[in-house]
Amino acid sequence: MRLWRHVAIWLGLGGLVWGLVAVLSPDRGAIVGEAVGRTFGQTIEIIAAVFILIGLLQVWVPPKAVARLFGKEGGWKGLALAATIPVMIGGSLFTILPLMQALREKGARIAVIGAFITAWGGKLPLLPLEMHFLGWRFAALRLALIVPTAALLGLALEAIVDRKEPGDVGAS
Amino acid sequence: MRVGEIYLAVAGGLLLLSLLLDRGRTAQALLTAWKITLQVLPVLFFIFVLMGTLQAFVPKETIAGLLGAKSGPGGVLLAEAVGCFALIQPAAVFPFSGYLLRSGASYAAIAGFVLTAILIGISTLPLEAKLLGIRFTAARNFLTFGAAFLVALVIGWIL
């Protein structure tokens, strides 16, 4: 199974680096071990909770269903939704980009696509981790700033992309 | 009660609610959570080893010098550049950022790193270009780099 190969590769890579450090200097190997243990100890409960929440979110609010909202909404309402709602979606760029292509094919504006991707970077599902490591002030500020940034970036992107060769995007 | 336990209690409560509403969906949610665990946890292990290795070999002063408050806009740009190349899961971005913060990096530099690490990926460029076009991809990534810089400066100015 591909997933298990992925598990083996990353565990192996981590073990390799750790082993190399430990061979070069046992003292430093111990520092690495201590750091790994401490960080896992601090975060394992938060991580477990976040994973369960993302699992629930994916099932009850699937990204595809969210994306469907944007196919028809063309005007300011669509842009406003695209700059806010996606902060709640999980996943990595690898899962979001194909969704964006599907949206584009349904006729969504470039501004909506650009705003959607940027707002998705708000990463609300990871908020517990962000607050733990960077503080609630940082997390709240970043979340508050990403919404207007997403809307403006979407509009700027549309202005650039649509200027020439309007058929370029999504045509492939 | 520790913060982690509160989150777990909330997650458990919602899981119970979901179970009462729809058993099939809840099973699906747990399966998704398990897949995410397999996807993210090994990467987190690698990132934590990397953090420990940096801790063991790179003095705090170096990181504080490169990314600290005195590094100014140059430090933010450096952090953003690192973020673009970081091939890490979004979930791993925050623990790594926490390490940088403890080592003396500024909030502005960390904001730059977080934003580009999530939103710009050298590894996703080919996919993005294939799906949405080269013009879109180039414009979005440049704009995101610039926007991350401005947002980082604002965050650094406020915090």
Side-chain angles (χ1 to χ4, degrees):
Chain A
M1 202 172 138
R2 254 181 67 233
L3 206 50
W4 287 106
R5 204 172 64 200
H6 164 92
V7 171
I9 287 173
W10 287 100
L11 287 183
L13 228 49
L16 193 71
V17 173
W18 190 354
L20 228 57
V21 173
V23 167
L24 284 172
S25 152
D27 285 349
R28 288 179 165 159
I31 293 179
V32 175
E34 200 264 334
V36 172
R38 179 165 35 82
T39 319
F40 263 121
Q42 275 174 359
T43 50
I44 199 68
E45 289 164 340
I46 301 178
I47 290 170
V50 165
F51 288 174
I52 293 172
L53 289 173
I54 295 177
L56 287 170
L57 207 62
Q58 299 276 50
V59 172
W60 287 101
V61 192
K64 269 186 193 157
V66 175
R68 231 174 278 139
L69 280 175
F70 299 93
K72 291 164 199 159
E73 296 286 354
W76 292 103
K77 198 177 155 199
L79 190 64
L81 286 175
T84 47
I85 306 291
V87 299
M88 291 186 281
I89 309 179
S92 70
L93 267 184
F94 281 111
T95 53
I96 290 302
L97 290 172
L99 210 60
M100 292 303 99
Q101 186 205 23
L103 253 188
R104 180 72 186 133
E105 277 171 355
K106 278 186 199 150
R109 329 170 20 183
I110 294 287
V112 163
I113 308 275
F116 193 111
I117 297 176
T118 311
W120 161 83
K123 289 266 144 222
L124 199 61
L126 298 179
L127 190 67
L129 278 176
E130 184 169 6
M131 281 182 6
H132 177 81
F133 283 103
L134 302 173
W136 68 268
R137 276 157 47 97
F138 179 93
L141 199 54
R142 197 181 71 84
L143 197 63
L145 286 170
I146 206 138
V147 170
T149 304
L152 291 173
L153 192 140
L155 288 173
L157 187 65
E158 186 171 80
I160 293 171
V161 173
D162 275 351
R163 183 173 294 168
K164 295 176 212 160
E165 305 168 73
D168 184 26
V169 172
S172 55
Chain B
M1 207 175 182
R2 301 202 308 164
V3 184
E5 289 168 359
I6 298 173
Y7 287 128
L8 267 183
V10 171
L14 288 173
L15 200 62
L16 204 65
L17 182 69
S18 172
L19 192 68
L20 291 174
L21 287 171
D22 189 328
R23 198 174 279 202
R25 277 198 188 194
T26 308
Q28 192 64 41
L30 283 175
L31 187 68
T32 306
W34 170 242
K35 276 187 186 158
I36 292 170
T37 305
L38 288 183
Q39 232 161 42
V40 178
L41 217 53
V43 180
L44 277 181
F45 171 71
F46 176 71
I47 296 294
F48 291 174
V49 169
L50 219 57
M51 272 163 54
T53 307
L54 281 174
Q55 213 171 305
F57 286 94
V58 182
K60 277 189 177 185
E61 295 74 41
T62 309
I63 289 172
L66 287 172
L67 302 174
K70 282 185 189 147
S71 67
V76 176
L77 289 176
L78 177 67
E80 280 193 64
V82 174
C84 292
F85 283 96
L87 310 171
I88 50 183
Q89 297 273 356
V93 170
F94 295 116
F96 191 78
S97 303
Y99 156 70
L100 292 178
L101 185 67
R102 284 198 311 279
S103 305
S106 70
Y107 275 114
I110 284 169
F113 170 75
V114 168
L115 286 167
T116 56
I118 294 173
L119 286 169
I120 300 179
I122 298 297
S123 58
T124 52
L125 285 181
L127 179 71
E128 186 172 356
K130 192 176 138 232
L131 294 178
L132 296 163
I134 288 175
R135 175 183 284 269
F136 177 97
T137 303
R140 188 191 76 80
N141 284 281
F142 275 112
L143 282 174
T144 301
F145 196 91
F149 183 68
L150 295 179
V151 169
L153 289 186
V154 172
I155 286 180
W157 179 63
I158 293 177
L159 289 181

